[in-house]
Amino acid sequence: MTIRTNTPKVLDNPPIPVQAKLAAAWTSFMFLYIYVDYLGLYKPGSIDDILDGVVFVFDINQAFVVIGLTSVAIPALMVMLSMTLPARVNRATNLVVASLYIPYSAFNLAGGSWLYFYGLGVVLEVLLLAFILRSAWTWPRTPAVPAGPATTDLRQDLRQ
């Protein structure tokens, strides 16, 4: 008598490069960042304020929209930069930009209206920024190649 057992196969979980993790986190951050602003337009009175040329307490003018575009362009560029910059520069750039965006994201709580909505948006954005900081801070290191006879022989072989 033969007994057949179906052993479940374990799913493969290949390691994900740090660059891909960072790019994915910046992409997620971008979606949240844009949708919090977009859905904020549904708050009663928002459209009337925009038609009157005001957002929160800021006049809508060229400087305002340039600052707005810049604040969205930086995380958008971080998606690409996280995949293309050399490791050392990549790590430093992610640490600096994510650190600066934490207080910038928290600014959405200024004014005190719709705290559940904006609070949730800020909490999710800060969690993603914390993930970016942690991923960049704990970037794996490889041991340096020791200088010695083995490396000098390799260099001589390459010259020939």
Side-chain angles (χ1 to χ4, degrees):
M1 178 164 148
T2 305
I3 298 174
R4 291 189 179 190
T5 59
N6 291 333
T7 57
K9 294 185 179 181
V10 178
L11 293 174
D12 186 22
N13 195 17
I16 300 170
V18 177
Q19 296 93 327
K21 289 180 185 180
L22 292 169
W26 281 113
T27 303
S28 297
F29 178 83
M30 282 294 306
F31 277 112
L32 278 170
Y33 192 74
I34 290 169
Y35 274 104
V36 165
D37 285 348
Y38 175 75
L39 293 172
L41 296 174
Y42 289 91
K43 187 170 71 171
S46 292
I47 300 299
D48 294 332
D49 287 346
I50 291 170
L51 292 174
D52 289 338
V54 177
V55 171
F56 185 50
V57 295
F58 303 106
D59 291 331
I60 299 173
N61 55 29
Q62 187 165 321
F64 176 82
V65 294
V66 166
I67 291 168
L69 178 61
T70 302
S71 72
V72 173
I74 291 170
L77 290 172
M78 288 304 296
V79 175
M80 186 268 306
L81 293 174
S82 293
M83 291 299 292
T84 58
L85 287 176
R88 178 171 280 184
V89 176
N90 198 338
R91 179 178 186 261
T93 304
N94 274 280
L95 289 171
V96 168
V97 174
S99 295
L100 293 174
Y101 263 83
I102 289 175
Y104 192 79
S105 292
F107 179 73
N108 277 328
L109 294 176
S113 67
W114 286 45
L115 284 178
Y116 294 129
F117 169 69
Y118 288 112
L120 177 61
V122 168
V123 165
L124 294 173
E125 288 174 7
V126 168
L127 285 173
L128 284 166
L129 292 167
F131 175 82
I132 291 167
L133 288 171
R134 182 179 171 274
S135 297
W137 187 260
T138 60
W139 196 300
R141 297 179 183 269
T142 57
V145 177
T151 55
T152 56
D153 292 339
L154 178 63
R155 288 184 198 142
Q156 288 174 356
D157 291 342
L158 291 174
R159 288 185 198 141
Q160 294 175 354

